[in-house]
Amino acid sequence: MSIYVGNLSYDVTEQDLRTVFAEYGTVKSATLPTDRETGRKRGFAFVEMSNDAEEAKAIEELDGAEWMGRDLKVNKAKPRENRGGGGNRY
């Protein structure tokens, strides 16, 4: 399972995320989704730690913490929903 990190500054890099979350354990991955059309970061990220205990500690410590001028929203990521192809139904 991964961690959702919301309300991020648009200046945050994957390395910034790895550095902050490494204080709580081993970071397996850090991903900053970008907008398909503009290429701009979307203001949230997903971080995967090596085990559930590390994820729980990171969530507990970082949820609501102020970082880079923003109050972080940190919680367990919800499974991705299958939103379909978006084609015309008629």
Side-chain angles (χ1 to χ4, degrees), residues 3-9 43-45 65 70-75:
I3 300 169
Y4 167 83
V5 186
N7 200 31
L8 287 173
S9 164
F44 64 90
R70 304 274 192 121
D71 292 332
L72 296 179
K73 175 74 173 151
V74 183
N75 53 42

Side-chain angles (χ1 to χ4, degrees), residues 60-79:
E60 179 184 328
E61 296 288 328
L62 294 173
D63 187 37
E66 191 271 329
W67 186 45
M68 298 180 92
R70 304 274 192 121
D71 292 332
L72 296 179
K73 175 74 173 151
V74 183
N75 53 42
K76 278 247 184 230
K78 295 178 181 152

